[in-house]
Amino acid sequence: MKTEKFLIANDVPGAERLLKELELIIPTLNELIPLYGDLDLGELDEKTALSMLIDRGETATEQFLSVIASNCLAIGANKHFVSQQVALQADFVAEFKANINEIVSKKPIELSSSYFSYSPADHSYFVSENTKIEIAENFKTYLTDPKQIAMYNAFDKTKNALLELKKSFKEFAGYEYQGDLISLIQRKNFNNEIVIEINNQQIVQFLNNRSPKN
């Protein structure tokens, strides 16, 4: 059985503000791309590009050191030589990670890395259409419980009735009533229970006190 989703709020401006923030940070994130080029590992793929936003260069440097080790082994070097060559890259790797971290740290913490995608063809980070849809949905508020939906509709009808009551008062008296109209039909009895009913005497007195003067 399909669950009903009842939309009660849609914060479009909030979603648009978040998307704007994401778009504004993309040029800064794109500064990661030439840094990756310093590793001389070829074209930056999507998986590695996204990993740099999360692990701040750990995956990329592992690839870099793995290639060095593989190249050494390919020419018949022993493990000790391989370890030496890998160790020689320690300063370079540390500087690379520091540069990555400096760029990624410019991204506000509330902008999750999961919002971004990467296009190898365009050599750029971007916000995908699916992500834009997800963001728009995250700024919507739904009710799914039938009883909650029924209660919400009851509140909505009450709100509309109150608006109509305020409108009627203004038409009657010629000005906006700033008091609590609900108090005229709601009171507590001697058992401290809420009672909703019209007190004719109170209503007549209320109307007489506020009747327009001719």
Side-chain angles (χ1 to χ4, degrees), residues 150-188:
M151 275 301 302
Y152 180 86
N153 284 330
F155 277 117
D156 192 49
K157 289 179 181 178
T158 302
K159 176 207 72 175
N160 291 334
L162 281 173
L163 289 174
E164 186 63 32
L165 186 58
K166 285 175 66 69
K167 178 183 176 183
S168 296
F169 179 87
K170 185 174 182 180
E171 292 174 350
F172 162 71
Y175 62 90
E176 295 274 359
Y177 183 65
Q178 301 302 319
D180 181 12
L181 291 171
I182 288 290
S183 63
L184 296 172
I185 58 173
Q186 178 175 285
R187 61 181 177 81
K188 287 186 177 181

Side-chain angles (χ1 to χ4, degrees), residues 27-55:
T28 299
L29 299 184
N30 283 341
E31 295 175 15
L32 296 170
I33 301 167
L35 287 180
Y36 180 81
D38 293 341
L39 300 179
D40 197 23
L41 295 175
E43 290 292 327
L44 176 60
D45 59 41
E46 182 178 19
K47 182 178 179 180
T48 305
L50 296 180
S51 76
M52 287 197 292
L53 301 180
I54 300 169
D55 64 23

Side-chain angles (χ1 to χ4, degrees), residues 187-195:
R187 61 181 177 81
K188 287 186 177 181
N189 62 16
F190 60 91
N191 288 324
N192 207 34
E193 299 169 333
I194 296 293
V195 175

